[in-house]
Amino acid sequence: MEEFLPHGAEKKQTHFTDFEGKTSFGMSVFNLSNAIMGSGILGLAYAMANTGIILFLFLLTAVALLSSYSIHLLLKSSGIVGIRAYEQLGYRAFGTPGKLAAAIAITLQNIGAMSSYLYIVKSEVPLVIQTFLNLEEKTTDWYMNGNYLVILVSVTIILPLALMKQLGYLGYASGFSLSCMAFFLISVIYKKFQIPCPLPEQEGNLTGSLNATPVSTSDYQNGYTILQAPEQGTCTPSFFTLNSQ
């Protein structure tokens, strides 16, 4: 352990021996920001609805602090030993098992992130196309089929980005992604004050539904989300919510 973290090493000037990075600071910020948020931002609203405002903010702050501290440890360790690659850093610390553990963790994280993005493409993009085309019902055209859209996006967007030699250029794609996130965030906040809760088409069945057996606020049928009458208290935010689900 002393060889890995020698005494007084933090006072020495950092000298990396593996490779020289060519990505600018701005591109690195875009890539890191996109990696931190990613598709997981879509689940924050559901998480808040099932935990409450106070508990959600506490958990979000705790995760942010743990993530920040883990990044601090990685940067400090890489600065001490002069290695910036995760696999080589794991090899220096724990030998071959550490290198394999780092490689497996990175692979699983990439598979999970890519799977979530492709699932969003399959389930949401057909609805977006249907909205732009002003279609009342889903058609059988190929561009309304989520499976075809997944293949199209994988071949035309994901594969070219994955084959790039200079990954720093991914910063442009990450910047565009962050711009889309900001746009949709502003849109959701704006629409929150424009769309009533419950929805107008639900008001007629709201009274009977509240007195009946509680049902979920949405149902999935034929690739569409069918809205139903919300449960009592759904439209009122709560500070604490304990949901076993």
Side-chain angles (χ1 to χ4, degrees), residues 5 8 11-12 16 18 20 30 36 53 62 71 74 78 83 117 121 149 154 170 176 181 205 208 211 221 223 227 233:
L5 297 175
K11 299 180 181 179
K12 298 180 180 179
F16 295 101
D18 48 358
E20 292 294 333
F30 284 144
I36 292 175
I53 298 176
I71 294 176
L74 284 173
S78 63
I83 298 175
Y117 277 116
V121 170
L149 293 177
S154 300
L170 289 176
F176 175 74
M181 291 182 188
N205 299 325
N211 296 328
Q221 181 178 356
L227 295 177

Side-chain angles (χ1 to χ4, degrees), residues 7-242:
H7 296 287
E10 62 274 7
K11 299 180 181 179
K12 298 180 180 179
Q13 185 178 3
T14 303
H15 178 67
F16 295 101
T17 59
D18 48 358
F19 60 89
E20 292 294 333
K22 298 181 180 180
T23 305
S24 64
F25 177 78
M27 294 299 178
S28 300
V29 170
F30 284 144
N31 287 329
L32 182 60
S33 301
N34 188 51
I36 292 175
M37 290 184 288
S39 60
I41 193 174
L42 298 176
L44 293 181
Y46 180 81
M48 177 177 285
N50 287 272
T51 56
I53 298 176
I54 301 299
L55 184 57
F56 172 79
L57 293 177
F58 172 78
L59 294 175
L60 188 64
T61 303
V63 172
L65 292 177
L66 291 175
S67 300
S68 177
Y69 184 66
S70 64
I71 294 176
H72 167 73
L73 293 179
L74 284 173
L75 293 177
K76 186 175 182 179
S77 300
S78 63
I80 292 175
V81 299
I83 298 175
R84 285 173 286 200
Y86 285 156
E87 296 91 337
Q88 296 300 324
L89 191 61
Y91 180 79
R92 179 67 180 271
F94 304 104
T96 302
K99 182 178 181 179
L100 292 177
I104 293 174
I106 294 173
T107 302
L108 293 178
Q109 193 275 337
N110 290 336
I111 292 176
M114 187 58 59
S115 299
S116 64
Y117 277 116
L118 293 179
Y119 178 79
I120 294 173
V121 170
K122 179 180 179 179
S123 60
E124 301 298 333
V125 173
L127 299 178
V128 174
I129 296 176
Q130 178 183 347
T131 302
F132 277 107
L133 296 180
N134 294 323
L135 299 177
E136 296 294 336
E137 297 181 356
K138 186 177 181 180
T139 63
T140 58
D141 297 324
W142 67 269
Y143 52 82
M144 298 294 292
N145 191 318
N147 296 326
Y148 291 146
L149 293 177
V150 167
I151 297 175
L152 181 63
V153 171
S154 300
V155 173
T156 59
I157 299 179
I158 298 177
L159 182 60
L161 291 176
L163 295 178
M164 294 176 61
K165 293 183 178 180
Q166 295 294 337
L167 296 181
Y169 292 112
L170 289 176
Y172 294 103
S174 299
F176 175 74
S177 176
L178 293 175
S179 301
C180 292
M181 291 182 188
F183 170 77
F184 286 113
L185 174 62
I186 296 174
S187 300
V188 169
I189 296 176
Y190 173 76
K191 287 295 184 180
K192 189 269 179 186
F193 298 98
Q194 300 294 324
I195 300 177
C197 184
L199 296 176
E201 58 268 21
Q202 298 175 352
E203 292 179 352
N205 299 325
L206 178 59
T207 304
S209 298
L210 292 179
N211 296 328
T213 303
V215 295
S216 60
T217 58
S218 63
D219 190 15
Y220 200 72
Q221 181 178 356
N222 297 328
Y224 293 90
T225 301
I226 309 300
L227 295 177
Q228 299 178 359
E231 298 179 6
Q232 189 173 8
T234 300
C235 298
T236 303
S238 58
F239 289 98
F240 291 98
T241 301
L242 296 179

